[in-house]
Amino acid sequence: MSGSNPVPQPPTEPSGAARAASKPKRPKWLVPVIAGGCAVVLAAGGIGGCLYWNHDRLTAASEECATSYDRAVKARKKLTEYLKSDALKTAIRVKDSEVRDAKTVGTLASTVKTASKTKTDIPGCPADGLKDIKAVTARLDKTATAYAKTVNEAKGKAEAVNASKTDKIVADATRILNDSKGRVKDDKVRAALENAIKSKDGKAISDAVKTVNDSIKAKSDADANARAEKEKQAADNAAQAQTDNSGSYTGDTTGGYTGYTGGGYTQSQGGYAYMPQQPTGNGGGYTPAPQPTPQPTPQPSQGGNGGGSTGGDDGWDTCFTVDTSGKPGVQVPCS
């Protein structure tokens, strides 16, 4: 049939002696093939069909090997890229104190260290030899699987760290939510924090926690200012009350007692008259009780207006002494 590529047919066998004389010898390399899969093909189509069948198997094996090689190369590249990714670097930077389970941090570090040292060679596919091609293909498949497993393991450990970090954030935020009751200036910020906790969004929770802390500080400052103002007012009131209660009396108690000046007895017609002492000063002070006016013994006039002595019958002169303390005078002989 024109244009077709029919399977080669075995040549027409001659008869008799001609067939025996023209019978070709089989090459040595063909013997193992015939012992294997080619036996059936030779029975059906001769040597040409066997060669075609062997070539087809070799081609299929080579294609499979090439596919395994590409898969191994891609798996290795994927691991290399993940080890350099920002996602992994972020997880590695997480500290023990930032997670609820510190073991996750150590496990991730160990896994990444092992993965970084992985250097599995990726062999190329052989050009011929069906057995060799299949052996390399199996090796490539194993290498690709190992790389993929390492990537998945590293990702899993990183996700465990991130999950543990979120758990701690949620736990800390929940404690702040409970402790902040009645301590915020605006209770709406607590409702926002509660919603953020439910979402388990780390950034949303962090922002809400900051808002609650700011509100707690605002209320604390306001309470402190109000307390200080109240204490100041109480102190001012106490000082005013003390001033009102400790004012000095400006009546008769000012000035103090200054004693007597002058005073005593003065001479008048008919005898001596007592003049009480007048206090000095600027008003107030002690005022002595009034003393009775002494009544001196009348004496006969000696002719004249003054004098403090009188003549007695016995020839002695009599004098009076004047006591400046206000007591009555005493009659004594004149010296």
Side-chain angles (χ1 to χ4, degrees), residues 46 141 208 242:
D141 289 341
Q242 185 177 7

Side-chain angles (χ1 to χ4, degrees), residues 120-143:
T120 304
D121 293 333
I122 300 179
C125 295
D128 55 11
L130 185 61
K131 185 178 180 180
D132 292 340
I133 293 175
K134 287 187 175 182
V136 172
T137 300
R139 182 180 173 185
L140 290 171
D141 289 341
K142 185 177 180 180
T143 300

Side-chain angles (χ1 to χ4, degrees), residues 307-323:
S309 63
T310 60
D313 295 338
D314 54 4
W316 294 90
D317 292 332
T318 302
C319 297
F320 286 94
T321 62
V322 179
D323 193 335

Side-chain angles (χ1 to χ4, degrees), residues 6 9 23 41 55 65 77 97 129 142 200-201 213 220-221 255 257 289 294:
Q9 298 296 323
K23 186 176 181 180
V41 178
H55 179 270
C65 184
K77 181 180 179 182
S97 59
K142 185 177 180 180
K200 291 188 176 182
D201 185 331
N213 287 334
S220 178
D221 292 345
Y257 176 73

Side-chain angles (χ1 to χ4, degrees):
M1 186 173 179
S2 177
S4 63
N5 295 312
V7 176
Q9 298 296 323
T12 304
E13 295 183 2
S15 60
R19 182 176 60 185
S22 62
K23 186 176 181 180
K25 295 181 180 181
R26 295 174 180 174
K28 293 181 179 180
W29 61 267
L30 188 59
V31 175
V33 177
I34 294 175
C38 260
V40 177
V41 178
L42 283 173
I47 297 175
C50 179
L51 293 175
Y52 181 83
W53 175 81
N54 188 55
H55 179 270
D56 185 62
R57 289 186 64 193
L58 190 63
T59 301
S62 297
E63 291 176 353
E64 184 179 355
C65 184
T67 301
S68 298
Y69 178 84
D70 290 341
R71 186 164 53 246
V73 171
K74 289 180 180 178
R76 182 175 62 182
K77 181 180 179 182
K78 190 174 182 180
L79 175 61
T80 302
E81 291 175 349
Y82 182 70
L83 293 176
K84 296 179 180 180
S85 66
D86 293 337
L88 181 61
K89 290 179 180 179
T90 300
I92 292 176
R93 284 195 294 264
V94 175
K95 300 177 181 178
D96 293 355
S97 59
E98 297 176 333
V99 296
R100 197 167 189 178
D101 184 3
K103 292 181 180 179
T104 58
V105 175
T107 302
L108 173 62
S110 178
T111 300
V112 172
K113 183 178 181 180
T114 301
S116 300
K117 293 182 178 180
T118 301
K119 295 181 180 180
T120 304
D121 293 333
I122 300 179
C125 295
D128 55 11
L130 185 61
K131 185 178 180 180
D132 292 340
I133 293 175
K134 287 187 175 182
V136 172
T137 300
R139 182 180 173 185
L140 290 171
D141 289 341
K142 185 177 180 180
T143 300
T145 301
Y147 276 126
K149 182 180 179 180
T150 302
V151 172
N152 292 334
E153 186 177 2
K155 281 186 176 181
K157 297 301 185 292
E159 290 172 357
V161 169
N162 293 332
S164 185
K165 182 179 179 180
T166 300
D167 290 343
K168 188 175 189 304
I169 290 174
V170 169
D172 293 345
T174 301
R175 184 173 62 255
I176 292 175
L177 177 66
N178 296 333
D179 293 345
S180 64
K181 187 175 182 179
R183 297 173 55 202
V184 294
K185 193 171 184 180
D186 184 0
D187 206 55
K188 291 180 180 179
V189 298
R190 295 184 68 253
L193 175 57
E194 185 175 9
N195 292 332
I197 291 174
K198 292 178 180 178
S199 71
K200 291 188 176 182
D201 185 331
K203 187 177 185 308
I205 294 175
S206 179
D207 293 343
V209 166
K210 183 179 183 304
T211 303
V212 169
N213 287 334
D214 290 344
S215 186
I216 290 175
K217 186 178 184 302
K219 186 177 186 302
S220 178
D221 292 345
D223 291 346
N225 291 336
R227 218 168 23 247
E229 183 63 27
K230 187 176 180 180
E231 292 173 357
K232 181 178 181 300
Q233 186 62 44
D236 292 344
N237 293 341
Q240 183 62 41
Q242 185 177 7
T243 301
D244 294 342
N245 294 333
S246 63
S248 55
Y249 181 74
T250 58
D252 293 338
T253 60
T254 60
Y257 176 73
T258 59
Y260 288 88
T261 59
Y265 287 92
T266 59
Q267 187 178 8
S268 63
Q269 292 182 356
Y272 289 87
Y274 176 75
M275 299 297 294
Q277 173 68 37
Q278 297 297 323
T280 62
N282 54 0
Y286 173 77
T287 302
Q291 299 293 330
T293 303
Q295 299 296 327
T297 303
Q299 298 295 329
S301 174
Q302 297 297 324
N305 296 327
S309 63
T310 60
D313 295 338
D314 54 4
W316 294 90
D317 292 332
T318 302
C319 297
F320 286 94
T321 62
V322 179
D323 193 335
T324 60
S325 64
K327 295 180 179 181
V330 178
Q331 185 176 6
V332 295
C334 295
S335 59

